[in-house]
Amino acid sequence: MTQHTIVIPTHGRGLYPITDRIVATLPDSTSESGLVNVFIQHTSASLTIQENADPDVLRDLDAFMNRLVPDGDPLYVHTAEGPDDMPAHVRAALTATSLTIPMTAGRLALGRWQGVYLWEHRTRPYQRRIVVTVCG
């Protein structure tokens, strides 16, 4: 088992491709099979596996989330860090903070059009920490 922490800088809300950063942590052996767990150490950002061919998919996902969980909703009491604070927590709760991906022959067993993304839910830049654990 190996474990690495990667830091991803974000520039505000949106989806950031991180597949290559995850792949860089995998063992060098091509005979390895197992599981890769990817975990984000934050409560206002998340992880997702999505299409990596058409950027409109990512734009549409972000537009949908903006409509589903708008900033500044008067329902929220927790606004200590601004109008995007509680919506970011709700967005993270609706998505995933951990992904498990099979590893086959030393490579992520993602489908042809799949990529792993960090989904930043805050509107300002952050440094996001992601723990990648390889079992196998």
Side-chain angles (χ1 to χ4, degrees):
M1 181 166 71
T2 63
Q3 190 172 77
H4 301 277
T5 299
I6 57 177
V7 177
I8 308 292
T10 68
H11 306 288
R13 190 169 283 160
L15 290 114
Y16 296 82
I18 61 169
T19 307
D20 291 345
R21 296 289 304 273
I22 295 166
V23 168
T25 69
L26 300 181
D28 290 334
S29 171
T30 57
S31 64
E32 291 288 328
S33 64
L35 295 173
V36 179
N37 181 266
V38 185
F39 175 76
I40 189 163
Q41 295 180 306
H42 302 278
T43 60
S44 57
S46 59
L47 302 168
T48 189
I49 294 175
Q50 272 305 321
E51 180 175 326
N52 62 5
D54 185 351
D56 285 346
V57 171
L58 304 178
R59 187 199 64 77
D60 289 346
L61 283 168
D62 214 33
F64 175 78
M65 188 65 82
N66 288 334
R67 180 183 290 172
L68 184 65
V69 187
D71 291 338
D73 190 319
L75 169 71
Y76 305 131
V77 175
H78 178 74
T79 59
E81 296 178 37
D84 70 328
D85 190 8
M86 191 60 210
H89 293 293
V90 172
R91 292 165 188 233
L94 293 173
T95 53
T97 56
S98 179
L99 302 171
T100 300
I101 305 163
M103 182 176 65
T104 304
R107 299 178 52 161
L108 294 178
L110 292 170
R112 180 179 198 163
W113 306 114
Q114 289 182 316
V116 182
Y117 293 86
L118 180 157
W119 199 341
E120 176 62 68
H121 301 302
R122 298 302 304 269
T123 58
R124 66 179 194 240
Y126 280 89
Q127 296 284 322
R128 299 302 192 176
R129 294 175 54 84
I130 298 172
V131 178
V132 180
T133 305
V134 180
C135 300

